[in-house]
Amino acid sequence: MTVLILGGTSEAVALDQLLADQAPEIRAVVSLAGHTSDPKPLNLPVRVGGFGGIEGLRHYLIENRVVAVVDATHPFAAIMPFHAEAACKAENVPILAIRRESWKPRPGDRWRSVPDIQAAVETLGKPPRRVFLTVGRLELPAFADAPQHHYLVRVIEPIGDRLPLNGIKVIQQRGPFEADDEEDLMRRENIEILVSKNSGGPATVGKLTAARRLGLPVIMVERPPKPDVATVDHIDQVLPWLVAQGIFVTERGV
């Protein structure tokens, strides 16, 4: 019997380590979408790629005798959480989502919240600006509609031809990023505005602190809707949930 972890976040990596340390008796598999070519190494077996929609995921649950699913996908995963909910409901498999808390504006912040990337592009306006883009490489093509801006783009993976504009500078780095370093970067690049997804978590919150210190406006893209499933905000709550489902009991009394 298998526990399927839908990965793609730091929480999935941390859960992988927690299960390896505290519950090695659990047979678990981490599924990655494959957007990152060099993901962090994991202790558990890993599968990469899609399932083939809801029906494909149902087939996987049956074939692999999956007894529980933990949704640790990215806060901006818009499709897989709904597919997982539908497949688990159809096969009567319990599902738990790990959803980190979103960032909230603090005194001194100059946020403009928008519902999606296209709205972020439009909110930049017509006059040319020096923009710090931290939305991931998959969202970059939308900004080709606003070629008048100078973009500083930070990504984990190479962007290829996703934003083929003049006046673009790419930084390829993986967080975490400290607020002081973010402030130095924004000063050095004469950044006028930051565009960010509201991913939450500590790894990249430093850019928001830096923007606050510098008095810079932030265009904040809010998260897409999520299905109504059982939810926790920390990996320490996963093992007790698995026990509550009657999936396993350890001698440690987790």
Side-chain angles (χ1 to χ4, degrees):
M1 295 186 292
T2 302
V3 174
L4 175 63
I5 300 170
L6 304 175
T9 57
S10 58
E11 286 82 3
V13 175
L15 180 58
D16 165 83
Q17 188 63 56
L18 182 133
L19 292 180
D21 292 343
Q22 297 189 21
E25 63 272 34
I26 293 180
R27 182 180 185 275
V29 174
V30 179
S31 178
L32 302 177
H35 296 315
T36 301
S37 62
D38 186 25
K40 293 181 179 179
L42 298 174
N43 299 284
L44 298 172
V46 174
R47 70 168 299 280
V48 179
F51 292 94
I54 295 171
E55 290 305 313
L57 181 51
R58 289 181 64 181
H59 184 70
Y60 182 91
L61 297 179
I62 295 168
E63 275 213 332
N64 292 275
R65 300 179 66 202
V66 173
V67 293
V69 172
V70 179
D71 176 5
T73 54
H74 193 273
F76 279 80
I79 298 175
M80 178 54 74
F82 286 96
H83 283 188
E85 177 205 27
C88 287
K89 183 177 181 180
E91 300 304 328
N92 198 30
V93 173
I95 180 171
L96 178 73
I98 305 175
R99 296 184 186 151
R100 71 177 74 136
E101 186 178 358
S102 61
W103 293 317
K104 301 293 191 297
R106 297 175 53 181
D109 283 332
R110 299 173 56 198
W111 288 16
R112 173 80 177 273
S113 292
V114 295
D116 52 39
I117 288 294
Q118 191 57 49
V121 175
E122 295 168 1
T123 303
L124 283 174
K126 298 297 184 183
R129 310 172 87 173
R130 296 183 66 83
V131 182
F132 187 15
L133 271 187
T134 62
V135 296
R137 66 188 179 94
L138 299 181
E139 308 287 7
L140 294 179
F143 292 89
D145 292 340
Q148 70 273 25
H149 303 300
H150 176 93
Y151 294 105
L152 173 66
V153 178
R154 184 167 65 200
V155 288
I156 297 175
E157 298 281 316
I159 70 169
D161 60 355
R162 291 182 179 274
L163 191 57
L165 300 177
N166 295 323
I168 177 174
K169 181 176 180 179
V170 178
I171 302 175
Q172 193 175 329
Q173 290 179 323
R174 188 192 296 268
F177 304 104
E178 297 297 328
D180 290 346
D181 296 332
E182 298 286 71
E183 184 177 352
D184 289 344
L185 174 64
M186 293 184 195
R187 287 185 184 277
R188 189 167 62 250
E189 297 293 337
N190 298 311
I191 296 301
E192 298 175 275
I193 188 167
L194 168 68
V195 182
S196 172
K197 287 180 171 180
N198 198 338
S199 299
T204 59
V205 72
K207 62 189 175 185
L208 302 179
T209 303
R212 186 184 313 122
R213 291 175 182 174
L214 296 171
L216 297 180
V218 176
I219 298 175
M220 184 64 72
V221 182
E222 299 301 341
R223 299 177 182 183
K226 298 290 184 179
D228 184 15
V229 299
T231 302
V232 297
D233 59 12
H234 197 275
I235 63 166
D236 288 346
Q237 299 162 282
V238 175
L239 285 182
W241 178 81
L242 289 173
V243 172
Q245 307 311 307
I247 291 168
F248 81 101
V249 178
T250 71
E251 294 180 357
R252 290 179 290 278
V254 175

